[in-house]
Amino acid sequence: MPFPPTRAAALEQLENFVPLAAKYASTRNFDLGTGHHTGVSQLSPYLRTRLITEEEATRAVLGKHSPRAAEKFLQEIAWRTYWKGWLEMRPAVWSHYTSTLADLEKQRKLPDYQNAITGNTGIACFDHWANELTSTCYLHNHARMWFASIWIFTLKLPWQLGADFFLTHLIDADPASNTLSWRWVAGLHTRGKHYLSRASNIEKFTHGRFNPSGQLNESATPLTEQTDFEKQPLHLPQNPKPSGRTGHLIFPEDLSPPPESIGNITATAAFIPPSLNTTPLVENFLSGAVHDTLHHTHGTLLTGTFESALNDWISAEKLDSIIISKPTVGIARDFLESENLPIQPQPFIRDWDRELWPKATAGFFKLKKALPKIHSSLTYPRHEDLFPHI
Ligand SMILES: Cc1cc2nc3c(=O)[nH]c(=O)nc-3n(C[C@H](O)[C@H](O)[C@H](O)COP(=O)(O)OP(=O)(O)OC[C@H]3O[C@@H](n4cnc5c(N)ncnc54)[C@H](O)[C@@H]3O)c2cc1C
């Protein structure tokens, strides 16, 4: 498996990448082909599940480089946080996407859609990326941008079906980063500003492996939509301070330990909510990552019906309260909200999210501006403390 689903593998990947973080600005845009994505970190499956957190990755990089030298990489790390914060304030963007997807079900039978997802469009680069995605579960960021743009503007397929194709196959599938990046490419995030794939740009940044000259619509106009998604206030309650016997409930979207300020945890359990749609490769990664976490915490995997498994765990551990990392807008939160639970889990919010989500009110700039202050407030662990014996 290219991404072993363990914290040890995540730390090893981070340790290997840290020396390259200062070069990242000049290497990151080149897609060097399947198995050769050495100009980027490939940390996303680990950051997505929080086998390592954005804060940990930031601290590791700042332990070796100045904020200025690694500026580009540190900003990219924060894009994940930005998309999450932005979607937290506009949950209707997600629910509108999932309901539109249901309405598009019939289009999945159409030849154009089938050709796109099976890599049979005749556009060599696009077909290559469709196959790379389905066989490896990963695509380089630039390939994701080109692919989404060709899907929307050249093949003229609905962006929601493309986003769903990514969400099904990406090992780092993330409702916020994925939905909002597709909307950004389409010109719906920053209204009127879309991302157009150009053959010359693809040729340059694939080192000439592809040149779809004459095959792309390079003059398309941005998509538009009728719906106006109003911004809602961000609800960030204080972290719980539970007394008595406390259980930590884990979903695969945050596998890191809770903040120490929460106090003693009596027991840990994890549940893997059913996804909208996913593949065995992605399922194996998520399940492996959850098992690795449970191994380190001596926790229990809740299987079968969530409500009854949770009840059994509460009784077995004699729990008075349950804490959970605040489920963010997307699959896990939809699932939790649909359940009728015996004890309502109390959400906690990590300092990183608490500090940065409120900055995601509009474009990325406001959050980017807040980064230097955050970087200067972090302490940088010694290399041997962060990477003890991997
Ligand atoms: C259409 C489209 C769909 C996407 N879908 C997803 C998705 O489902 N899940 C996902 O994690 N990312 C998604 N991204 C963002 C980005 O492509 C990936 O995070 C990145 O390619 C992961 O590879 P890496 O770890 O090697 O990235 P690196 O270039 O090494 O970046 C380091 C880290 O910074 C963060 N990051 C970098 N670029 C972005 C970005 N544009 N948006 C958000 N975070 C970023 C990621 O956590 C990444 O691991 C999408 C981008 C596009 C254009």
Side-chain angles (χ1 to χ4, degrees), residues 24 40-44 47 73 76-77 79-80 83 138-141 144-145 148 166 170 172-174 177-178 181-182:
Y24 173 82
V40 288
S41 71
Q42 295 192 74
L43 283 168
S44 56
L47 290 165
F73 183 71
E76 290 304 308
I77 291 279
W79 267 96
R80 173 182 302 284
W83 289 131
Y138 174 87
L139 278 186
H140 184 280
N141 179 59
R144 296 182 201 207
M145 290 161 62
F166 270 23
L170 280 173
D172 58 26
D174 176 333
S177 288
N178 190 55
S181 295
W182 275 84

Side-chain angles (χ1 to χ4, degrees), residues 200-368:
S200 57
N201 181 265
I202 293 175
E203 186 192 19
K204 175 175 174 189
F205 288 106
T206 59
H207 279 323
R209 285 185 302 120
F210 299 109
N211 183 354
S213 180
Q215 289 190 292
L216 307 185
N217 181 352
E218 299 195 10
S219 58
T221 51
L223 298 192
T224 55
E225 66 188 354
Q226 303 300 323
T227 326
D228 213 2
F229 299 103
E230 270 195 24
K231 184 154 67 66
Q232 293 186 4
L234 195 54
H235 185 52
L236 300 178
Q238 293 292 309
N239 281 351
K241 289 245 183 262
S243 52
R245 294 177 65 83
T246 304
H248 177 205
L249 176 63
I250 296 179
F251 281 174
E253 68 174 38
D254 190 342
L255 300 174
S256 275
E260 280 175 11
S261 58
I262 287 187
N264 282 342
I265 300 298
T266 315
T268 303
F271 186 78
I272 306 179
S275 305
L276 285 180
N277 201 359
T278 193
T279 65
L281 274 175
V282 177
E283 262 170 31
N284 285 343
F285 176 81
L286 291 179
S287 155
V290 164
H291 277 97
D292 182 65
T293 306
L294 292 176
H295 173 73
H296 292 298
T297 54
H298 308 290
T300 314
L301 182 65
L302 305 180
T303 53
T305 320
F306 181 55
E307 195 184 325
S308 71
L310 192 71
N311 262 323
D312 292 347
W313 179 57
I314 292 169
S315 307
E317 299 291 346
K318 300 187 177 53
L319 297 178
D320 301 304
S321 52
I322 297 176
I323 56 152
I324 186 169
S325 174
K326 182 180 165 67
T328 46
V329 172
I331 297 155
R333 185 186 294 182
D334 289 351
F335 172 77
L336 202 62
E337 285 178 354
S338 70
E339 293 287 310
N340 191 6
L341 302 180
I343 297 182
Q344 210 50 44
Q346 301 174 48
F348 64 81
I349 298 153
R350 299 188 187 283
D351 290 348
W352 178 269
D353 298 333
R354 194 181 286 283
E355 188 68 37
L356 289 175
W357 285 351
K359 310 277 191 301
T361 45
F364 181 65
F365 183 72
K366 193 167 160 194
L367 190 145
K368 186 168 104 173

Side-chain angles (χ1 to χ4, degrees), residues 59-78:
R59 285 151 67 113
V61 167
L62 287 173
K64 173 92 182 163
H65 305 284
S66 70
R68 199 192 176 105
E71 184 180 27
K72 195 69 204 166
F73 183 71
L74 296 171
Q75 286 172 359
E76 290 304 308
I77 291 279

